[in-house]
Amino acid sequence: MRLLFSAMLVLLTGFYLHGQTHTNDNQAKMQWFKDAKLGIFIHWGIYSVNGVDESWSFHNKKMSYADYMKQLNGFTAKNYNPDAWAQLIKESGARYAVITTKHHDGIALWDTRANNMSTAKLTPARKDVITPFFAALRNAGLKTGAYFSILDWSHQDYPGFLKDSSRYKIKDDSARWNRYLAFYQAQIQELSTKFNPDLFWFDGDWEHSAAEWQAQKVRSMILKNNPNAIINGRLTGFGDYETPEQNFPITRPSLNPWELCMTANNNWGYHPDDSAYKTPYELITIFADVISNGGNLLFDIGPREDGWIPTEQVHLLKELGKWTHKHGEAIFNTEAGLPPGHFYGPSTISKDSSTLYLFVPALNRGKLVIRGLYNTINSIRVVGADQSLNHKIVGKISWSPVPGLVYIDEIPGTATDGYMTVLEVKLDGPIKLYKGKGGLGTE
């Protein structure tokens, strides 16, 4: 999936979203999302039959549209087990999942009433695969997310591919565009009333303006049905949070919360030719960096057409789950960690700001340093291990208000985690940090 176009649009607009000043009600409804930290993204559709790029394979002329659509004949979902999917997602430590209800190719994975372009009507699967999955997620205590492409490259009333006006221009045939608006909004209404997702994850907004999409109307329609629904930032700015894609933001995004969507290998959907899988260590360290910066990770997997999830992806989720369950207190229900310069590595802070969590790569067993910490440290322990650590203050000058450096003893090899060790640093109260330039006793 080439979500990059939309991500670039968000970046170019400085990550500005409509309604940047959120109301207290909006902040409250976003709390579960901020606390969740981890979600699983699922790209599943007819593109998994031949293992080709979802929708983009015909757009980029890697194959003809006709050949792409022939994959309808191979989508069986014969080994699809939504309960097993939900349990695997829960095992990973994720608190929510987002599945492609319809990608740019226009094939819906539920039995839409808006047209006949669905897995329920046109594939051997002959069924709506979204309903049982959402039920399984809810039975597992997980939040539900619906990915939906607001553009549809198969619909006869959509103008064309990426502003290619070979079909028509909106200004020349507003009636045709209005038919398309009615169609796509009818599908959103179906998703909203039939599935009532906790989260709408839109894509494809880059081709038209907010006014052309009637984005404000769509947002109002969703919230009328469910005032607590969350909407991502790809509804031409009428969303609740940012969604950078694949590439980790070097500076913290301006809005909080935010979510990084990232693939298990180099592709969103099932690609048997792609062996460039991330290692568990890479996935866990990326995740730690995300939560350290106040974000969520939406980690993507791509099942085969029959519903089988590749072994490599299952392994990643299980290893991630072992780590998240061991270190859950430092991950979930926490806030973004120390600003740059205070600690060389990821960190998080408890909601009452009195506990600091430091994330340390497995092979780093040397002494750790915290800079600019005013607080007195009451205790330091290794999370998930029966191990306490000592510390000393270095460079504290009696007549200066500038705090010294905190040196934490080396972590014993017997207490280190195989991927990333986490230290709990208990403070004497809410964290207080020095922000000055040092020297001359000034702050």
Side-chain angles (χ1 to χ4, degrees):
M1 180 182 65
R2 303 300 193 277
L3 301 173
L4 184 59
F5 288 91
S6 189
M8 287 174 63
L9 177 62
V10 174
L11 285 167
L12 290 172
T13 56
F15 291 116
Y16 178 82
L17 301 183
H18 176 78
Q20 186 169 348
T21 304
H22 296 297
T23 64
N24 290 333
D25 288 344
N26 196 55
Q27 291 173 352
K29 80 171 184 178
M30 293 299 296
Q31 194 59 54
W32 76 258
F33 182 81
K34 293 175 66 175
D35 291 341
K37 307 301 181 187
L38 180 63
I40 301 302
F41 213 175
I42 301 174
H43 276 68
W44 195 32
I46 66 169
Y47 41 87
S48 62
V49 173
N50 293 339
V52 298
D53 299 347
E54 60 294 323
S55 307
W56 293 92
S57 51
F58 65 81
H59 170 268
N60 290 331
K61 298 181 171 53
K62 292 184 178 180
M63 63 193 309
S64 69
Y65 176 80
D67 285 341
Y68 180 92
M69 284 299 173
K70 286 178 182 177
Q71 293 177 106
L72 285 164
N73 299 322
F75 188 85
T76 66
K78 63 183 179 182
N79 294 316
Y80 175 43
N81 186 335
D83 290 318
W85 281 21
Q87 288 306 313
L88 176 62
I89 291 166
K90 187 170 185 177
E91 185 178 349
S92 76
R95 301 303 200 244
Y96 63 103
V98 178
I99 188 170
T100 49
T101 64
K102 189 185 79 168
H103 207 269
H104 311 325
D105 59 15
I107 304 300
L109 270 67
W110 82 99
D111 191 10
T112 178
R113 298 187 301 273
N115 64 9
N116 72 335
M117 298 286 282
S118 69
T119 56
K121 293 185 174 72
L122 299 180
T123 73
R126 290 294 175 197
K127 58 186 174 184
D128 156 15
V129 296
I130 301 299
T131 295
F133 182 56
F134 272 27
L137 289 176
R138 287 176 171 133
N139 288 338
L142 301 172
K143 297 287 189 180
T144 58
Y147 167 105
F148 180 83
S149 171
I150 60 177
L151 61 80
D152 187 327
W153 287 336
S154 290
H155 197 276
Q156 66 274 13
D157 288 325
Y158 191 75
F161 302 159
L162 292 175
K163 299 185 178 179
D164 171 8
S165 58
S166 57
R167 292 183 181 175
Y168 71 97
K169 294 180 179 179
I170 293 176
K171 64 182 181 65
D172 295 333
D173 198 341
S174 59
R176 192 172 180 183
W177 176 244
N178 286 335
R179 286 198 301 271
Y180 180 74
L181 291 177
F183 161 74
Y184 102 79
Q185 291 171 18
Q187 288 197 317
I188 292 174
Q189 186 65 36
E190 284 182 20
L191 290 172
S192 186
T193 56
K194 182 177 176 64
F195 302 111
N196 195 26
D198 298 294
L199 187 156
F200 275 86
W201 212 102
F202 288 113
D203 195 21
D205 63 342
W206 63 82
E207 294 199 357
H208 302 285
S209 68
E212 288 172 331
W213 285 122
Q214 297 181 346
Q216 188 168 18
K217 174 186 175 183
V218 170
R219 178 180 176 86
S220 298
M221 181 174 67
I222 291 169
L223 296 182
K224 182 178 180 181
N225 182 70
N226 179 4
N228 292 319
I230 294 172
I231 301 170
N232 77 332
R234 299 186 182 189
L235 187 62
T236 53
F238 281 82
D240 300 306
Y241 66 94
E242 301 172 17
T243 57
E245 176 186 339
Q246 294 284 42
N247 299 308
F248 194 93
I250 300 302
T251 57
R252 291 182 181 179
S254 57
L255 288 184
N256 187 19
W258 61 277
E259 174 192 73
L260 173 67
C261 55
M262 182 173 278
T263 51
N265 50 15
N266 290 331
N267 286 278
W268 296 98
Y270 176 66
H271 252 271
D273 58 336
D274 184 355
S275 60
Y277 281 99
K278 294 171 178 63
T279 66
Y281 173 79
E282 291 164 350
L283 170 57
I284 288 167
T285 54
I286 290 168
F287 179 43
D289 278 338
V290 169
I291 62 176
S292 177
N293 284 282
N296 288 10
L297 177 65
L298 185 62
F299 185 65
D300 178 72
I301 60 174
R304 197 168 59 189
E305 58 80 18
D306 62 356
W308 175 82
I309 300 174
T311 304
E312 297 90 343
Q313 297 178 11
V314 172
H315 175 67
L316 282 171
L317 294 186
K318 286 181 175 290
E319 290 301 292
L320 177 61
K322 291 176 186 176
W323 186 82
T324 57
H325 284 88
K326 180 180 178 181
H327 303 102
E329 66 183 85
I331 300 168
F332 306 106
N333 304 307
T334 60
E335 304 289 345
L338 294 169
H342 290 281
F343 175 68
Y344 288 153
S347 62
T348 58
I349 301 174
S350 62
K351 285 190 175 181
D352 66 3
S353 299
S354 66
T355 303
L356 176 63
Y357 296 99
L358 307 178
F359 295 74
V360 186
L363 298 180
N364 182 358
R365 289 175 48 200
K367 287 193 174 184
L368 304 174
V369 183
I370 304 175
R371 299 164 185 81
L373 180 66
Y374 280 122
N375 300 76
T376 297
I377 294 176
N378 290 337
S379 65
I380 302 174
R381 72 175 177 92
V382 180
V383 176
D386 185 19
Q387 180 69 55
S388 297
L389 298 176
N390 294 319
H391 72 284
K392 65 184 264 190
I393 306 298
V394 175
K396 177 68 179 86
I397 302 172
S398 60
W399 48 261
S400 172
V402 180
L405 304 174
V406 178
Y407 275 80
I408 300 173
D409 285 355
E410 182 175 327
I411 305 169
T414 54
T416 58
D417 180 81
Y419 296 123
M420 202 168 212
T421 308
V422 182
L423 303 185
E424 173 204 71
V425 182
K426 285 283 189 181
L427 308 176
D428 62 348
I431 193 167
K432 294 182 291 184
L433 298 173
Y434 171 69
K435 299 293 187 181
K437 297 180 179 179
L440 302 178
T442 58
E443 295 189 36

